[in-house]
Structure formats: C-alpha cells, structure tokens
Amino acid sequence: MKEKIISKASELFLKLGFKSVTMDDIAGEMCISKKTIYKYFCNKEVLIAESTSTVHKQVHGIIDTIVAKNFNSIQENFEIREMFRDMFKNNTDTSPIYQLKKHYPEIYQNVLSYEIDQCTQYFRENIEKGIREGLYRPDLNIDIYVKFYYTLIFHINETTVSEREAQEIELEALEYHTRAMATEKGIAELEKQLEKVRA
C-alpha cells in the first residue's frame, strides 16, 4: 500500500504541482481514507520527500535505458529531452521543480545535491562519448562544459514558473551547449535532430 500511495502521489504532484495537491486529493483519487495515508506518512512533507526520491529513481532508470540503446551522443541528449517532455506533458502549468523550490526548500536542496551528482556524471560520459565519435571537439575542457551545462539547466528549472516555457528554453540551451562543443560532423547531426523536433 505504501508503494501505491507513493506512486499515485508522484503522479499527482507532477501533474498538478506539489503545493496544489492535498492529502485529501490523494485519498480521493485512491478511494482510501486519509487515515490510511497517515498510517504510512506522518505528514505531506514526508510523502513529498519519498515521492521525489521515487521519481528520481524512475528518471535515472529511463536515462540508463536510453544510454544503453547506444545512440550517438547528440541524439542521446535529444532522446532524454523527449523523455522529460513525455513525463511532464500533462503539466501545462507550474513547473514542479519551481514549486518544490518555492514551497519545500529543504526537500528541494536534498533533491538538488543528489541530482547534481547524477547529472554531472551523465553529462561527463556524454561529452567523452561525443569526443570519441568525432561529434564534439577533442580539445574541450570537459569539467568546465559539464559545469556550464548543469548551471544552465538548473537555473532554467529553478527560475521558470511555466513547465512549457521551461521545456522551450531547455531546447535552446541544448542547442547552445551542443553548438559550443560540436565539430562540423556534430553540427550536421545537431541540425538533423533539431529538424525532427521542429517537424
């Protein structure tokens, strides 16, 4: 039952936002009493913390699946962006990350420190792969580019209220990041991916 509550709560939080969803909403959606939820979670903050942790595991599981498909490094980034778009496609309102930062700053800080570690590792591996493929320039300072990119991405998510707008800006950031690193061959691949997105 605990897992079911976390799963339903995660779905509602991502769709409607952390602030908007109440324990009553979750109980109503699951046709259970609020008392049942409180049996497992002493308050909403604990449920949010557990839900965000579950969503992170899911996200990184999906990222690992995409990486395992062995796309080239540029397509890989676009596939991951697509996955995020699908995850948040029902949310046309407030960005969940923005809400989390605003209303639950402590949980947000915990999420952020874990996320930066995970993303740093993923961005680094993607750049190393792109250099091996001849899509990114061999003389890149990988540490600096990793830092540039996650600073960009986290800043967009922290400061952009609308989820739709955040996704649009993220696409621009991905293009900006890729162009800064790409060889001629990489630019050709980037143009191909952008054409697919804009089709």
Side-chain angles (χ1 to χ4, degrees):
M1 179 51 87
K2 186 179 179 183
E3 269 64 44
K4 282 181 183 166
I5 295 168
I6 291 173
S7 172
K8 179 51 75 179
S10 303
E11 185 190 313
L12 291 173
F13 289 144
L14 289 180
K15 194 173 169 182
L16 305 168
F18 293 99
K19 185 71 176 161
S20 327
V21 175
T22 65
M23 295 299 233
D24 284 316
D25 294 332
I26 298 163
E29 279 278 328
M30 294 185 72
C31 303
I32 58 174
S33 72
K34 206 156 71 166
K35 211 167 119 188
T36 307
I37 297 178
Y38 281 114
K39 194 170 119 186
Y40 298 98
F41 307 97
C42 59
N43 59 38
K44 186 178 168 185
E45 279 76 9
V46 173
L47 180 53
I48 288 174
E50 295 246 4
S51 298
T52 51
S53 168
T54 300
V55 169
H56 279 280
K57 285 188 187 116
Q58 287 170 347
V59 165
H60 290 289
I62 297 169
I63 289 176
D64 289 343
T65 308
I66 292 170
V67 170
K69 288 183 178 169
N70 215 14
F71 295 113
N72 70 57
S73 52
I74 293 173
Q75 185 176 355
E76 184 176 274
N77 282 334
F78 277 84
E79 295 287 338
I80 288 169
R81 181 193 162 270
E82 188 73 13
M83 174 268 295
F84 277 112
R85 210 193 59 172
D86 289 348
M87 264 189 98
F88 297 118
K89 71 168 175 261
N90 296 324
N91 183 337
T92 51
D93 197 16
T94 316
S95 156
I97 295 173
Y98 179 87
Q99 274 204 19
L100 197 60
K101 185 187 182 194
K102 188 175 175 191
H103 301 293
Y104 302 98
E106 265 184 44
I107 298 172
Y108 172 77
Q109 280 310 321
N110 293 339
V111 165
L112 190 67
S113 55
Y114 173 74
E115 205 44 36
I116 284 176
D117 284 350
Q118 293 274 317
C119 288
T120 300
Q121 186 190 341
Y122 163 69
F123 293 158
R124 169 180 296 286
E125 286 167 4
N126 179 268
I127 293 171
E128 288 168 350
K129 179 180 179 178
I131 291 171
R132 286 195 304 274
E133 294 167 333
L135 295 173
Y136 299 151
R137 299 192 323 273
D139 59 343
L140 294 176
N141 181 331
I142 295 175
D143 289 335
I144 298 286
Y145 276 82
V146 165
K147 207 169 193 167
F148 281 163
Y149 194 49
Y150 81 60
T151 303
L152 257 179
I153 292 298
F154 283 104
H155 181 72
I156 291 164
N157 282 293
E158 284 177 354
T159 57
T160 310
V161 182
S162 152
E163 179 59 35
R164 186 179 284 137
E165 192 187 341
Q167 288 182 11
E168 284 168 10
I169 302 170
E170 274 180 14
L171 177 60
E172 296 289 340
L174 176 55
E175 181 182 351
Y176 177 79
H177 172 68
T178 309
R179 279 192 194 282
M181 299 190 299
T183 58
E184 232 171 281
K185 183 180 163 191
I187 296 287
E189 179 60 31
L190 172 65
E191 296 295 351
K192 197 169 99 183
Q193 295 303 324
L194 287 170
E195 219 169 277
K196 272 200 281 185
V197 172
R198 290 167 181 155

